[in-house]
Amino acid sequence: MHLAEPSFIETRSSQLFSVYHEPDPGSRLRTPVLVCSPWGWDDAASYRPRRAWAERLAAAGRPALRFDLPGTGNSSGSPRDPGLVTAWLDGVAAAAEELRARTGVTEVAILGLGLGGLLAIAAAEAGAAVGELVMVTAPPSGRAFVRGARNFSRLQGWHADASSVAVPDGWIEASGFVLTAGTIEELEAIEPKGPFGPDLRRVLMLSRRPGARNPLATALEAAGVEVRAEGISGWGQMVAHPETSRLAEDAAEKVASWMDESGAAAPDAAAGDGGGLTGIELDGAPAPITETPFPVEHPYGRSFGLLTTPADGEAAPLCLVFLNAGAVRSTGPNRMWLERARAWAARGLPALRVDLEGIGEADGDPDGVPPGEEFFATKYQDELGRVLDALEARGLGPDFALVGLCSGGFLAFRTALADPRVRAAYVINAGALVWRPGIFDEREVRKVSRVFERKWVGKLLRGEIEWSKVRSMFTSIGERARRRLRPRRRGGTPWDVELQADLDRLEAHQTRLALMFCGNEGMADELEAVGFATTLDSRRFVEMVDLPGADHTLRPLESQAALRRTLDEGLQRELEARGWAPPVESA
């Protein structure tokens, strides 16, 4: 598998990150497909399957273009920007135009997922040259989408854990993603009724409830558009979690079959004159920044990164590297890595957001990394070392600061121990610090006492806890018992003793380490059990920080704000220690 071509697309108000998948030379070309992403958590969870879907389309002779909407993913802008929905519609039209330019065709097909499907039909209503449209679990109107986001927000359990940063009046926060009052007002005005332009001929509507009344289907049919509505399975897994998401095969097969029925003309054999921008310049405070793709070769293929640097070329002698949080792509949880990278690059600190093997935009298994312990494999430390080598060859560094959450935190810590170029590591909700097989099974076992709590049993009987989780728990208990019966190896070192030796090494090299934990983190509980906090008084370069909330990926807004403060203060100290001038203001 090869890395598809990344670039940026210029619109009237934004720069869209995009990836173009070109069919193999000599293949029979078919109508190109623009992939419009869903919003929020669905966007984050389904990223790797969308990439696999685009590759499958290209393998079938259909050039495919994926892109991030303004204020989402790796595109420019913020979810707090005014006029965001207008920018989204402009983005769909601009991406469609880019795909036409690349392939030399007059119209494209759009594969719209979730909100992306609604935006696609709204763009067609506004005049975009869309011939065929697939809407997968798309809401029939903006009002329906807002209602769904609001209902989901009310179901969230972490608001009570971190409420000092309140969601502004009129906003919606869902899984850490926000819709402002202005964006909500714009969305609720979207109610496509036609006409949908002369180009739109066919629409395929795929949903989990195919028999439900859909006023949009009625409007399309009244406008003379051929509409087919079908049910699909597997969509829930595609948007459930980045570590377990897989392509909805049922949907992919039905889309392929439906597109094959089309009598639309194939694109010209000669490619057009599109190509997008290889990098972008963004306004920053206090200075402008540039952002360019940063692929690095590895034995398995290429990792992918986006390198953000000061536009004037004057960079601090420290390079910031953000690591994947499990299977979350390089934008980071709730886009936090992107926001911090751009904020600090504007203050002189170059920053790389990187996707490693099987994650986000990197090469590797199309299905991503198998969930569980694979994210803690030692291969990622070797891969990160090659990424640091490539950055140093670019003239960045020579010192590096690493930021990682969960498995990324583990990788940051272990790399700081092994690589003297790493001068600081910011480790957030680390799944482990010293690896031992079965560590997650052990944590599940410690939760077994909950089985006897009346509240927990009530949730189980009401169906709020899956029985599969109970079976997994007791399987873990049995596995732990078997391990205890096995003879112990001689010379084994308790993990907490090994950890103290690791910290001694960091202290000797004066490498700064910040360990940050929200509530209910298994690693934090284990550190507390061995009295870890009492050992920090004698260490100058190690600190432990409590973050508010109890959500692993920092979805509460207060958790995100606390992380920004802690990270900014730490980076400020690192730059001041190097005498970097002008002084970097806290972002």
Side-chain angles (χ1 to χ4, degrees), residues 343-551:
W344 276 101
R347 290 160 172 79
L349 180 60
L352 175 73
R353 313 187 302 276
V354 65
D355 284 328
L356 301 177
E357 181 181 358
I359 306 173
E361 209 53 56
D363 285 348
D365 191 325
D367 286 336
V369 182
E373 299 182 357
E374 292 293 327
F375 288 102
F376 297 82
T378 56
K379 67 178 182 180
Y380 286 118
Q381 189 172 318
D382 296 334
E383 184 176 353
L384 179 55
R386 290 188 289 271
V387 170
L388 299 185
D389 291 343
L391 287 169
E392 195 167 15
R394 180 73 70 90
L396 299 173
D399 294 342
F400 296 92
L402 307 182
V403 180
L405 184 149
C406 191
S407 59
F410 172 80
L411 178 59
F413 179 66
R414 303 315 302 181
T415 304
L417 286 166
D419 194 325
R421 294 175 294 181
V422 178
R423 307 305 304 150
Y426 300 90
V427 177
I428 308 149
N429 289 341
L433 294 173
V434 176
W435 184 252
R436 58 188 188 276
I439 185 173
F440 299 123
D441 286 339
E442 292 178 10
R443 289 173 185 168
E444 287 297 317
V445 169
R446 285 196 293 272
K447 298 177 183 177
V448 72
S449 60
R450 301 184 65 190
V451 174
F452 304 102
E453 295 178 5
R454 181 178 301 178
K455 181 179 178 181
W456 195 86
V457 172
K459 288 184 176 182
L460 180 64
L461 296 177
R462 290 192 300 272
E464 297 175 20
I465 297 174
E466 297 180 2
W467 282 97
S468 59
K469 188 176 183 68
V470 180
R471 290 193 297 270
S472 176
M473 180 182 295
F474 282 102
T475 299
S476 298
I477 293 172
E479 178 60 29
R480 190 184 190 196
R482 286 192 293 271
R483 286 199 301 270
R484 283 187 168 182
L485 291 174
R486 296 172 189 157
R488 291 182 178 270
R489 292 183 301 169
R490 293 185 178 180
T493 304
W495 70 267
D496 55 314
V497 175
E498 186 175 341
L499 175 60
Q500 293 298 334
D502 289 339
L503 297 182
D504 289 342
R505 291 167 59 191
L506 292 181
E507 287 280 318
H509 289 99
Q510 298 185 11
T511 302
R512 293 192 181 277
L513 172 67
L515 298 174
M516 304 177 229
F517 293 102
C518 294
N520 296 331
E521 285 294 319
M523 186 72 253
D525 292 342
E526 291 169 7
L527 291 174
E528 182 179 4
V530 297
F532 178 79
T534 62
T535 69
L536 296 181
D537 293 339
S538 61
R539 299 192 181 278
R540 294 178 52 205
F541 298 97
V542 180
E543 64 175 329
M544 192 168 179
V545 180
D546 291 327
L547 297 176
D551 184 71

Side-chain angles (χ1 to χ4, degrees), residues 79-422:
R80 295 163 175 80
D81 289 344
L84 190 59
V85 174
T86 299
W88 286 348
L89 295 177
D90 286 346
V92 174
E97 178 60 34
E98 173 66 21
L99 185 54
R100 284 194 294 272
R102 281 179 176 268
T103 56
V105 303
T106 56
E107 66 177 40
V108 301
I110 294 186
L111 173 59
L113 313 177
L115 178 62
L118 178 63
L119 296 177
I121 194 69
E125 189 179 32
V130 180
E132 300 176 339
L133 171 60
V134 179
M135 304 176 72
V136 185
T137 68
S141 67
R143 192 173 297 277
F145 172 78
V146 169
R147 183 168 58 249
R150 184 173 284 117
N151 288 339
F152 179 80
S153 177
R154 289 168 178 162
L155 295 174
Q156 296 174 149
W158 55 79
H159 287 145
D161 298 322
S163 57
S164 63
V165 174
V167 178
D169 289 342
W171 289 31
I172 296 174
E173 179 269 310
S175 287
F177 297 89
V178 297
L179 295 170
T180 69
T183 299
I184 292 170
E185 183 178 359
E186 282 191 282
L187 279 169
E188 290 184 329
I190 297 180
E191 191 172 355
K193 295 180 179 178
F196 299 98
D199 299 302
L200 187 61
R201 300 182 308 278
R202 310 168 67 224
V203 173
L204 175 63
M205 292 183 165
L206 300 178
S207 67
R208 287 177 280 188
R209 297 174 57 210
R213 178 182 175 276
N214 191 327
L216 180 54
T218 303
L220 285 163
E221 290 172 340
V225 178
E226 176 191 327
V227 178
R228 182 186 301 175
E230 296 186 19
I232 54 170
S233 60
W235 181 254
Q237 183 179 13
M238 186 161 166
V239 296
H241 194 283
E243 293 184 7
T244 58
S245 62
R246 296 293 182 269
L247 176 61
E249 293 288 347
D250 185 36
E253 291 172 6
K254 287 179 176 176
V255 169
S257 177
W258 181 82
M259 287 186 171
D260 287 345
E261 297 173 6
S262 173
D268 299 334
D273 59 358
L277 306 173
T278 57
I280 55 174
E281 182 169 315
L282 300 169
D283 292 332
I289 57 176
T290 59
E291 194 159 275
T292 54
F294 191 82
V296 177
E297 295 290 342
H298 304 277
Y300 71 85
R302 282 187 282 182
S303 62
F304 176 79
L306 281 168
L307 180 63
T308 313
T309 57
D312 62 8
E314 184 180 359
L318 179 72
C319 184
L320 184 58
V321 180
F322 291 90
L323 308 175
N324 292 120
V328 177
R329 64 162 163 158
S330 61
T331 51
N334 307 110
R335 218 167 172 241
M336 283 185 288
W337 290 180
L338 174 143
E339 291 177 354
R340 291 298 88 206
R342 290 179 177 173
W344 276 101
R347 290 160 172 79
L349 180 60
L352 175 73
R353 313 187 302 276
V354 65
D355 284 328
L356 301 177
E357 181 181 358
I359 306 173
E361 209 53 56
D363 285 348
D365 191 325
D367 286 336
V369 182
E373 299 182 357
E374 292 293 327
F375 288 102
F376 297 82
T378 56
K379 67 178 182 180
Y380 286 118
Q381 189 172 318
D382 296 334
E383 184 176 353
L384 179 55
R386 290 188 289 271
V387 170
L388 299 185
D389 291 343
L391 287 169
E392 195 167 15
R394 180 73 70 90
L396 299 173
D399 294 342
F400 296 92
L402 307 182
V403 180
L405 184 149
C406 191
S407 59
F410 172 80
L411 178 59
F413 179 66
R414 303 315 302 181
T415 304
L417 286 166
D419 194 325
R421 294 175 294 181
V422 178

